[in-house]
């Protein structure tokens, strides 16, 4: 089983059928991570470059683990240890990487569209591990996998996404992905953090978190991305937590079987209270585990057979 496309760049480029194939493949491959010897020879002889221009813990590590569990050879490069610090452009970097004949390049970049440019320049498959505030397709896929695993379906569910929507590539990928799969998405947060026109992606908007929480089957909480903000969008973290944080008190208005999700990293006590992040409804660590399975599935589907 393979995907007909060369690259994974954004959720919008994946059809419903392709998403279903990816999720089903990931569910099958997840079992490998529970074995005493967590390795299969599926991608032996394949070379994967992990090129991260921005810091990452979960995404980078899970991509590396996914590749190694499929027996691929991996090379990791960061911006601080590459020729970028000497002034080399992304185009020249891409051409030099291509000359080494890798099979896939996983890239995270601060500029939206950088993985798309890279994909046009190289023969290797390119997987977007996050580009600026634009897209994070593998996070969207692992979130859908987690929801389907816990709820048995995606269609017909109500997904509440709360927090810094304006600066979140995770929010954009999840809005597109969950809507495409038949769920209803509602966004909540301060007016300064809700981008104008976001309803065009298929989501509804409220500025009252209680309204978003009330009938939600899934509550996805996002952190405040100070590193991307060009202005002060809220008075203080304390006030943000009081007005928009997911607290135990606000959880009293949620469904009894609601799922709590967070893409990480978590700012405890700001966007989510510690007792909620670690509570019985939290599936945050399941998201991390499913991240390995989703990335294994994508590497297998892109590189495991003839395109």
């Amino acid at each position: 089983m393979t995907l007909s496309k060369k690259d994974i760049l954004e959720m919008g480029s994946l059809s419903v059928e392709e998403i279903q194939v990816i999720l089903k493949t990931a569910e099958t491959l997840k079992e490998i991570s529970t074995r005493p010897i967590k390795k299969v020879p599926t991608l032996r002889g394949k070379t994967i470059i992990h090129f991260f221009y921005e810091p990452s813990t979960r995404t980078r590590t899970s991509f590396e683990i996914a590749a190694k569990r499929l027996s691929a050879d991996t090379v990791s490069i960061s911006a601080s240890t590459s020729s970028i610090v000497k002034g080399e452009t992304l185009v020249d970097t891409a051409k030099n990487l291509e000359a080494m004949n890798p099979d896939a390049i996983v890239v995270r970049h601060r500029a939206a569209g950088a993985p798309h440019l890279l994909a046009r320049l190289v023969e290797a498959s390119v997987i977007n591990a996050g580009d600026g505030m634009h897209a994070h397709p593998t996070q969207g896929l692992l979130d859908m996998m987690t929801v389907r695993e816990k709820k048995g379906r995606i269609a017909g569910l109500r997904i509440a996404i709360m927090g810094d929507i304006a600066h979140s590539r995770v929010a954009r990928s999840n809005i597109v992905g969950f809507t495409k799969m038949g769920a209803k998405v509602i966004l909540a947060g301060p007016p300064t953090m809700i981008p104008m026109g976001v309803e065009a992606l298929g989501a509804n908007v409220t500025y009252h978190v209680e309204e978003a929480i009330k009938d939600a089957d899934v509550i996805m909480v996002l952190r405040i991305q100070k590193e991307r903000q060009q202005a002060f969008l809220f008075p203080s973290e304390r006030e943000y937590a009081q007005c928009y944080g997911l607290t135990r008190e606000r959880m009293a208005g949620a469904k009894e079987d609601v799922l709590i999700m967070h893409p990480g990293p978590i700012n405890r006590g700001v966007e989510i209270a510690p007792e909620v992040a670690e509570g019985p409804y939290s599936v945050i660590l399941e998201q991390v585990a499913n991240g390995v399975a989703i990335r294994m599935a994508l590497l297998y589907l892109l590189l495991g057979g003839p395109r």
Side-chain angles (χ1 to χ4, degrees), residues 220-238:
M220 185 177 300
V221 189
L222 306 174
R223 73 180 177 90
I224 301 169
Q225 299 196 36
K226 294 181 181 178
E227 72 275 15
R228 302 190 193 280
Q229 296 178 4
Q230 304 300 315
F232 293 104
L233 302 178
F234 57 98
S236 68
E237 289 186 350
R238 181 177 180 181

Side-chain angles (χ1 to χ4, degrees), residues 44-245:
R44 182 181 293 162
K46 300 290 185 180
T47 302
I48 299 167
I49 296 175
H50 300 115
F51 199 2
F52 279 64
Y53 284 71
E54 289 186 317
S56 173
T57 299
R58 283 154 295 278
T59 303
R60 181 171 186 161
T61 304
S62 65
F63 263 117
E64 291 185 6
I65 290 175
K68 288 174 179 176
R69 287 190 177 159
L70 294 172
S71 298
D73 298 315
T74 64
V75 178
S76 294
I77 307 171
S78 63
S80 61
T81 58
S82 73
S83 291
I84 293 167
V85 297
K86 301 177 182 178
E88 185 172 67
T89 66
L90 177 61
V91 172
D92 286 329
T93 300
K95 290 179 178 177
N96 280 275
L97 293 177
E98 176 70 5
M100 301 178 198
N101 200 28
D103 296 287
I105 300 174
V106 178
V107 61
R108 168 171 286 191
H109 201 284
R110 62 182 176 274
H116 299 69
L117 172 63
L118 192 66
R120 292 195 296 269
L121 295 172
V122 301
E123 292 290 328
S125 291
V126 173
I127 301 177
N128 182 2
D131 60 330
M133 297 182 290
H134 175 234
H136 197 348
T138 63
Q139 181 72 43
L141 288 164
L142 74 88
D143 289 341
M144 284 191 283
M145 178 181 177
T146 305
V147 170
R148 192 165 85 159
E149 197 174 69
K150 296 295 182 180
K151 293 290 187 181
R153 62 188 175 95
I154 294 175
L157 296 180
R158 181 180 169 93
I159 315 292
I161 304 179
M162 298 168 34
D164 187 359
I165 309 297
H167 300 91
S168 177
R169 55 195 172 207
V170 173
R172 285 168 176 77
S173 290
N174 274 310
I175 293 167
V176 174
F178 277 106
T179 302
K180 185 174 288 191
M181 298 300 287
K184 182 178 180 181
V185 178
I186 183 167
L187 309 176
T192 53
M193 294 184 183
I194 305 287
M196 292 181 63
V198 72
E199 294 91 344
L201 295 178
N204 294 319
V205 173
T206 179
Y207 303 116
H208 305 285
V209 295
E210 290 81 6
E211 182 182 342
I213 290 170
K214 182 180 178 183
D215 297 315
D217 298 292
V218 178
I219 301 172
M220 185 177 300
V221 189
L222 306 174
R223 73 180 177 90
I224 301 169
Q225 299 196 36
K226 294 181 181 178
E227 72 275 15
R228 302 190 193 280
Q229 296 178 4
Q230 304 300 315
F232 293 104
L233 302 178
F234 57 98
S236 68
E237 289 186 350
R238 181 177 180 181
E239 185 165 331
Y240 181 90
Q242 289 177 342
C243 297
Y244 298 100

Side-chain angles (χ1 to χ4, degrees), residues 29-44 48 50 61-74 288-293 295-297 299-300:
L29 294 176
K30 187 176 180 179
E31 176 269 334
I32 294 170
S33 294
T34 65
R35 298 178 185 179
I37 299 176
K38 304 172 181 64
K39 189 179 284 284
V40 292
T42 310
L43 296 185
R44 182 181 293 162
I48 299 167
H50 300 115
T61 304
S62 65
F63 263 117
E64 291 185 6
I65 290 175
K68 288 174 179 176
R69 287 190 177 159
L70 294 172
S71 298
D73 298 315
T74 64
V288 177
N290 286 338
V292 175
R295 285 146 187 155
M296 287 176 70
L299 293 172
Y300 169 72

